[in-house]
């Protein structure tokens, strides 16, 4: 039986560990934290992410927890429409999923062939040509035919194997929260939840997690919002951070103020937005009978402006799983690198273009951006949507 070590029990790590186990691999999943738990927020999955989950055999579970996310358009802080809402073809429409629901589906997909070890901080990696791949925590070493580094933006495995890559700030921070249905405000018909509002270095996006009353054993409902602001993360306690958000977004179009007022400070998750520059020169490192591969944010951490972080991680998992079924292990490692690096580079390039548009500041630059946004934003989004919709797992 072939063996794998997956480092990191985030969305990508859980997905690839379950996929390998269902293919007959013996999998050891190592997690730094003392227990595996998701953020109490949500995630947007574009068609490529949905297709990847279906390729991984998780489509049925996704259908029970996902909510379609129609185009809500883009407004200025004064309420003026920059981009009117547009109909979205079903094959290009993203879905929004509560992270806890998605986490539960991925945990259920692990089966009994995955050994989960928590509280393990990987400090060393071995990827020498004549030796089996291995990782260690300073006390114990775990060998396997394949090591999958899904240990996030601060990946220690990537740091050792791809030292040319650095983690840098994207110049902004994000705050996320889900207001559960039992506390969510009842909004009038002329205040749709879905939509995006864009100011000078500030952005607010909201989405509904299903209809009121749909929460149950397989779904957590509510209203999901994300606020992004230029600058560093705030050191203040959550209560103060939420008060700052209310001040920054005061006067913005409804229902932004209503949603912030309905949010409990304990529900707010702050995150510094960081990315990899440059991207690693390789995502696959042959070693012994197999090798080491980089997956998810460990390979291509990027700003979340196009919502492709989780989607690309699931693409990575589906691609690796398909290649391992059809190829010898060393060939699969090489093919994974050959397929994933150009794909990641394309999506990162598009995300950085959108990042430049969203972070425009200064009066004259803002006027120029707003005047052109009706053309620029749909074009960038359409390019990204086309790239997302066109991806298919390798045959």
């Amino acid at each position: 039986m072939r063996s794998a070590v997956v480092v990191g029990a985030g969305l990508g790590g859980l997905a690839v560990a379950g996929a390998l186990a269902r293919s007959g691999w013996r999998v050891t999943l190592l997690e730094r934290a003392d227990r595996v738990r998701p953020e109490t927020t949500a995630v947007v999955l574009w068609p490529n992410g949905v297709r990847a989950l279906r390729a991984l055999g998780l489509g049925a579970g996704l259908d029970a927890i996902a909510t379609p996310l129609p185009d809500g358009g883009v407004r200025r802080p004064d309420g003026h429409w920059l981009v009117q809402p547009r109909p979205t073809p079903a094959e290009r429409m993203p879905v929004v999923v509560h992270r806890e629901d998605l986490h539960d589906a991925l945990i259920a997909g692990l089966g009994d062939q995955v050994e989960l070890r928590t509280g393990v901080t990987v400090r060393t990696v071995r990827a020498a040509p004549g030796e089996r791949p291995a990782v260690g925590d300073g006390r114990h070493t775990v060998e396997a035919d394949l090591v999958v580094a899904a240990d996030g933006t601060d990946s220690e495995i990537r740091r050792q194997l791809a030292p040319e890559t650095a983690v840098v700030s994207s110049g902004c921070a994000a705050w996320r929260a889900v207001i559960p249905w039992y506390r969510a405000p009842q909004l009038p018909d002329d205040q749709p939840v879905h939509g995006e509002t864009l100011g000078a270095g500030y952005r607010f996006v909201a989405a509904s997690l299903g209809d009121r009353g749909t929460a149950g054993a397989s779904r957590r409902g509510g209203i999901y919002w994300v606020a992004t602001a230029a600058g560093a993360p705030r050191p203040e306690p959550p209560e103060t951070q939420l008060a700052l958000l209310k001040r920054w977004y005061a006067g913005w179009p409804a229902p932004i103020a209503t949603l912030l007022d309905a949010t409990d400070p304990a529900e707010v998750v702050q995150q510094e937005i960081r990315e990899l520059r440059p991207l690693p020169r390789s995502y696959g490192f042959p070693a012994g009978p197999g090798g080491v591969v980089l997956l998810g944010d460990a390979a291509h951490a990027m700003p979340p402006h196009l919502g492709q972080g989780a989607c690309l991680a699931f693409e990575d998992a589906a691609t690796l799983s398909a290649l391992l079924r059809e190829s010898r292990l060393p060939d699969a490692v090489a093919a994974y690198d050959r397929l994933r690096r150009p794909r990641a580079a394309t999506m990162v390039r598009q995300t950085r273009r959108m990042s430049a548009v969203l972070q425009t500041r200064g009066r004259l630059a803002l006027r120029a951006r707003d005047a052109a946004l009706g053309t620029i934003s749909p074009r960038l989004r359409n390019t990204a949507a086309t790239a997302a919709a066109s991806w298919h797992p390798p045959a």
Side-chain angles (χ1 to χ4, degrees), residues 74 196 198 203 303-307 347-360 369 373 376-384:
V74 183
E196 174 181 346
L198 188 60
R203 181 190 189 203
H305 305 313
L306 291 178
M347 300 310 295
V348 167
R349 185 166 57 248
Q350 292 176 357
T351 297
R352 288 174 181 167
R353 288 173 181 166
M354 181 60 77
S355 211
V357 171
L358 297 179
Q359 296 188 45
T360 302
R369 183 203 68 182
L373 194 62
I376 294 174
S377 181
R379 188 169 67 242
L380 286 174
R381 291 168 186 272
N382 184 63
T383 300

Side-chain angles (χ1 to χ4, degrees), residues 4-10 13-14 17-18 21 26-37 103 106-108 110-120 142:
V5 174
V6 177
V7 182
L14 290 172
R26 186 177 70 255
V27 180
T28 302
L29 178 58
L30 306 180
E31 168 56 33
R32 180 188 302 117
D34 290 332
R35 62 187 180 122
V36 178
R37 54 185 173 184
H103 177 267
L106 293 172
I107 288 290
L110 291 180
D112 56 5
Q113 291 296 324
V114 177
E115 179 190 359
L116 174 60
R117 302 181 190 176
T118 58
V120 179
V142 184

Side-chain angles (χ1 to χ4, degrees), residues 40-175:
T40 56
T41 60
V43 61
V44 174
L45 298 177
W46 289 82
N48 54 320
V50 173
R51 191 174 293 125
L53 285 173
R54 295 194 189 285
L56 292 167
L58 299 169
L62 180 64
D63 291 339
I65 58 177
T67 301
L69 185 59
D71 185 352
V74 183
R75 295 180 292 178
R76 286 194 320 218
D78 62 5
H80 176 78
W81 285 104
L82 293 170
V83 181
Q84 291 278 353
R86 303 182 180 191
T88 305
E91 66 273 11
R92 290 197 175 192
M93 185 177 292
V95 299
V96 60
V97 185
H98 199 293
R99 278 184 177 264
E100 290 181 307
D101 288 337
L102 184 55
H103 177 267
D104 289 348
L106 293 172
I107 288 290
L110 291 180
D112 56 5
Q113 291 296 324
V114 177
E115 179 190 359
L116 174 60
R117 302 181 190 176
T118 58
V120 179
T121 299
V122 170
R123 304 181 190 279
T124 61
V125 58
R126 186 175 70 208
E131 301 180 274
R132 291 188 82 203
V135 294
D137 64 355
R139 296 175 300 170
H140 305 100
T141 297
V142 184
E143 293 185 345
D145 300 314
L146 175 70
V147 171
V148 180
D151 47 344
T153 305
D154 294 312
S155 169
E156 178 61 25
I157 295 176
R158 184 200 62 244
R159 190 188 69 79
Q160 295 185 31
L161 297 182
E164 73 278 1
T165 298
V167 180
V168 301
S169 171
S170 299
C172 58
W175 291 260

Side-chain angles (χ1 to χ4, degrees), residues 179-355:
I179 309 169
W181 277 135
Y182 68 85
R183 277 197 297 98
Q186 185 76 53
L187 301 174
D189 293 339
D190 61 349
Q191 293 183 15
V193 174
H194 300 298
E196 174 181 346
T197 309
L198 188 60
Y202 293 85
R203 181 190 189 203
F204 194 95
V205 182
S208 173
L209 290 165
D211 297 322
R212 195 176 293 269
T214 58
S218 63
R219 171 181 286 188
R220 295 166 175 87
I223 298 176
Y224 172 52
W225 61 258
V226 183
T228 309
R234 305 295 304 195
E236 297 89 351
E239 293 80 5
T240 306
Q241 292 182 30
L242 185 56
L244 284 170
L245 291 175
K246 292 177 181 178
R247 184 193 310 168
W248 293 342
Y249 294 95
W252 283 44
I256 293 176
T258 303
L259 296 180
L260 291 176
D261 286 340
T263 302
D264 188 310
E267 295 163 351
V268 179
V269 177
Q270 180 186 215
Q271 176 190 11
E272 180 184 12
I273 305 301
R274 300 179 299 157
E275 57 189 287
L276 300 185
R277 286 181 181 261
L279 293 177
R281 295 195 188 103
S282 178
Y283 288 166
F285 305 86
V292 180
V293 298
L294 305 180
L295 184 145
D297 284 346
H300 39 65
M302 68 185 81
H305 305 313
L306 291 178
Q308 282 296 317
C311 294
L312 285 187
F314 292 143
E315 280 189 24
D316 292 343
T319 300
L320 182 62
S321 178
L323 292 171
L324 290 171
R325 287 196 303 267
E326 302 298 331
S327 307
R328 295 175 55 252
L329 184 48
D331 296 336
V333 171
Y336 176 83
D337 172 59
R338 187 171 62 251
L339 290 174
R340 296 311 298 163
R341 271 193 303 118
R343 170 66 174 169
T346 296
M347 300 310 295
V348 167
R349 185 166 57 248
Q350 292 176 357
T351 297
R352 288 174 181 167
R353 288 173 181 166
M354 181 60 77
S355 211

